[in-house]
Amino acid sequence: MDVPYRQIRADFGEEAVTVYQAYDPAIADPAVAAQRFVAPFKRERMTWIKPSFLWMMYRCGWATKPGQTRVLAVEISREGFEWALGHSCLSHPDGETDPEAWRRRLRESPVRVQWDPERDPHHNALPYRSIQVGLSGEAVARYLGRWTLRITDLTDRVHDIRRALRDGRDVTGMLPVERPYPLPEELAQAIGSCVRKPGV
């Protein structure tokens, strides 16, 4: 499969896109019960959402790392997701011709965009990137109050996939189906998804 170096791939429908987060039970249980993030979730901190299920599994170690033992699928509105991208700044000044302008945007933007190597089920780095979106300030308030449509606890499913991997089974059919997320060209360029792999 010829995958672009930077591309948003996600499980999405007409109205919503699924992103993933991992927390401890103290945050996950109230969130699932309320179907939104509530205390002790700290809205003052930056919160990172990830459309890539396998990148989330890499980050949380298949729900085994301290503080990340509960994996949540959060369905948010596509309108909200695209608002976040449209109000973002890249975490790193990739190819910036005006470093000072980038630093100013970094200070002022409520959203960070970061591109990290995508992972396979065994956490091996793949030759293309996956997007991570960091929300702060106004973006967190919107995420909690407007964008979140549904929160589902995927922890049991994550454990099942991890067991299947340990047994040497093919887990492809157990994974969420993620496909390229369509973006207007201007927005795609703004978040760096049109950037080709260095040297290509």
Side-chain angles (χ1 to χ4, degrees):
M1 181 173 60
D2 185 17
V3 179
Y5 182 59
R6 289 180 177 176
Q7 178 191 62
I8 299 177
R9 294 168 302 280
D11 178 4
F12 64 92
E14 276 191 35
E15 303 295 333
V17 56
T18 300
V19 296
Y20 302 97
Q21 296 193 279
Y23 290 105
D24 63 21
I27 292 177
D29 285 340
V32 172
Q35 287 295 290
R36 61 189 179 90
F37 287 100
V38 295
F41 179 94
K42 297 187 185 306
R43 64 171 59 219
E44 301 82 14
R45 296 178 56 183
M46 179 169 283
T47 187
W48 289 86
I49 57 176
K50 305 159 183 69
S52 167
F53 177 79
L54 285 177
W55 203 95
M56 184 72 257
M57 295 307 98
Y58 163 72
R59 182 69 180 82
C60 72
W62 291 100
T64 63
K65 293 184 179 179
Q68 301 184 67
T69 57
R70 298 283 291 280
V71 175
L72 305 180
V74 185
E75 292 177 46
I76 64 174
S77 69
R78 289 181 60 170
E79 179 183 4
F81 183 61
E82 292 177 23
W83 185 96
L85 298 179
H87 291 77
S88 69
C89 178
L90 290 169
S91 293
H92 306 287
D94 298 343
E96 286 284 347
T97 56
D98 187 344
E100 183 52 43
W102 168 78
R103 282 191 286 271
R104 185 169 58 252
R105 287 198 307 276
L106 192 67
R107 290 193 301 269
E108 296 173 353
S109 298
V111 181
R112 301 276 187 280
V113 161
Q114 187 166 305
W115 294 94
D116 295 306
E118 179 63 289
R119 304 285 166 162
D120 71 11
H122 300 283
H123 303 329
N124 298 307
L126 297 173
Y128 48 88
R129 302 276 164 153
S130 180
I131 196 170
Q132 274 52 256
V133 182
L135 310 176
S136 66
E138 180 185 1
V140 172
R142 287 171 175 262
Y143 179 55
L144 272 55
R146 302 188 197 178
W147 301 347
T148 300
L149 305 177
R150 184 181 180 191
I151 301 177
T152 304
D153 190 338
L154 295 186
T155 309
D156 288 344
R157 180 177 176 183
V158 167
H159 290 165
D160 288 344
I161 299 172
R162 183 168 178 258
R163 280 192 291 269
L165 283 170
R166 284 195 322 218
D167 292 342
R169 288 186 276 147
D170 180 1
V171 300
T172 303
M174 303 174 73
L175 303 175
V177 176
E178 296 170 359
R179 53 204 170 93
Y181 187 91
L183 285 177
E185 184 176 350
E186 184 177 347
L187 182 51
Q189 291 178 346
I191 64 170
S193 69
C194 294
V195 175
R196 295 176 64 83
K197 186 174 182 178
V200 176

